Amino acid sequence: MKQFKDRIGIFDSGIGGFSILHRIIKKVPSVTIDYISDDAFSPYGEKSDTEIIKRSQIITEMLLQRGCSLIVVACNSATAAAIKALREKYRDTPFVGVEPYINILNHQDHSSEIRKAAVITTELTGRSEKFKILKQRIDPSGSILHVSMPGLAAIVEIILEKGLSENLMEDLRKELKPLKILNLSHLILGCTHYPLIADLIEKELGVITVSPGPHVANRVFDLVSPSGKEYCSSFSYLSTGSMKWEQRTSEYLFSLLKHSAVKEGS
Ligand code: DGL
């Protein structure tokens, strides 16, 4: 394994990985970050494992060519389908993936006791072996329900791109309807797009949402050697739709979080 990792590559099918990126920027400010949004191939959650493995390798190559020495797969679907193949192919490069934080069962704080919980994912993540094994290991009694949400990631993309309108809120309500009747206390967000509208989900369903971002950022923090820089004020961004690298500021990123449940300073 390489020792010095101050250039991190992050990717997702779209802007979902921003829910991980902002946590990394806050926790590990001394790194240089390249973010790839694979819009040209989204959504990942409806593709086959073979397609996602191939696509994840193409994106990884692009990030390695930029000089990244640590790759964050900021997507539950790509982690479920491809992280094993990536680790086997690029043995010198550490990969950090994202999984639904079912571990909440073991780390409950008293202020939010679980009455009834569910985990929501894309279809790909939900049918993956990786997810089934994780769920069976942490929740062998099956106390946490699982629901696949075919259209939710796409709704999140549109809300963030166009702003929240009454029509979009209606689409969101329809998509969340099967969850509403479950009368949940907690909802584990198993797709990185979902935390970007956690606030809206919490209000609509009256639940507490659980996101993996802070745990992923802690893992990255453990792997990165400090470089002495103090604040990561911008990051490089490429959409595979346009194939042009641009510089984006952290302020821009944080301004996109207004529907997330991220509180000031957290
Ligand atoms: N953000 C991705 C995830 O975490 C998936 C969204 C998509 O279907 O493209 O699974």
Side-chain angles (χ1 to χ4, degrees):
M1 289 276 172
K2 291 170 192 163
Q3 284 309 303
F4 190 70
K5 303 169 194 76
D6 69 349
R7 189 170 192 115
I8 299 180
I10 305 180
F11 76 92
D12 177 47
S13 63
I15 48 160
F18 283 2
S19 68
I20 303 294
L21 171 63
H22 87 271
R23 294 287 181 182
I24 293 176
I25 282 182
K26 288 206 158 165
K27 178 83 191 174
V28 197
S30 61
V31 289
T32 302
I33 293 176
D34 292 326
Y35 183 100
I36 295 183
S37 164
D38 193 11
D39 316 86
F41 202 73
S42 74
Y44 279 6
E46 293 168 14
K47 305 275 185 324
S48 71
D49 288 14
T50 317
E51 288 173 297
I52 298 302
I53 291 173
K54 207 167 138 198
R55 201 61 205 173
S56 299
Q57 286 173 349
I58 291 170
I59 304 292
T60 296
E61 298 280 348
M62 289 166 67
L63 291 169
L64 292 177
Q65 269 167 24
R66 297 270 296 177
C68 296
S69 52
L70 169 68
I71 310 282
V72 180
V73 183
C75 171
N76 292 256
S77 308
T79 300
I83 204 162
K84 188 162 173 275
L86 292 173
R87 286 182 174 138
E88 278 164 10
K89 189 169 162 98
Y90 306 98
R91 289 181 182 273
D92 280 346
T93 305
F95 288 86
V96 176
V98 183
E99 289 180 333
Y101 196 65
I102 297 175
N103 240 338
I104 185 187
L105 280 186
N106 303 326
H107 298 137
Q108 243 183 102
D109 67 46
H110 299 296
S111 60
S112 63
E113 212 174 306
I114 298 176
R115 179 174 45 72
K116 189 174 177 191
V119 52
I120 53 174
T121 66
T122 64
E123 288 177 325
L124 187 157
T125 300
R127 67 161 190 266
S128 70
E129 270 313 291
K130 200 169 170 48
F131 174 70
K132 286 181 189 151
I133 292 169
L134 173 80
K135 186 146 179 339
Q136 176 62 27
R137 180 168 56 81
I138 300 176
D139 178 31
S141 67
S143 65
I144 296 181
L145 306 169
H146 169 246
V147 185
S148 285
M149 307 292 290
L152 188 54
I155 294 176
V156 176
E157 286 272 342
I158 304 173
I159 291 178
L160 265 80
E161 190 195 324
K162 300 199 167 145
L164 184 64
S165 62
E166 200 31 62
N167 284 350
L168 281 172
M169 195 58 216
E170 209 31 60
D171 292 346
L172 180 62
R173 279 193 199 106
K174 272 194 202 130
E175 185 71 18
L176 296 177
K177 206 167 167 192
L179 299 172
K180 191 141 194 175
I181 50 176
L182 295 176
N183 189 22
L184 302 165
S185 63
H186 287 70
L187 187 63
I188 300 165
L189 306 180
C191 163
T192 51
H193 279 71
Y194 308 159
L196 295 172
I197 58 155
D199 219 13
L200 300 176
I201 295 174
E202 290 192 352
K203 282 193 191 112
E204 179 59 21
L205 300 178
V207 294
I208 293 170
T209 58
V210 180
S211 307
H215 308 283
V216 179
N218 286 344
R219 179 70 190 128
V220 172
F221 180 79
D222 289 345
L223 291 170
V224 167
S225 318
S227 71
K229 275 189 276 168
E230 280 194 348
Y231 184 60
C232 173
S233 57
S234 69
F235 61 98
S236 303
Y237 171 89
L238 176 132
S239 151
T240 53
S242 66
M243 288 305 276
K244 265 199 353 234
W245 282 102
E246 305 161 20
Q247 209 57 25
R248 299 254 170 120
T249 63
S250 305
E251 279 70 32
Y252 152 82
L253 173 68
F254 295 129
S255 74
L256 288 180
L257 301 174
K258 56 176 179 287
H259 299 306
S260 76
V262 175
K263 309 286 178 291
E264 205 49 50
S266 65

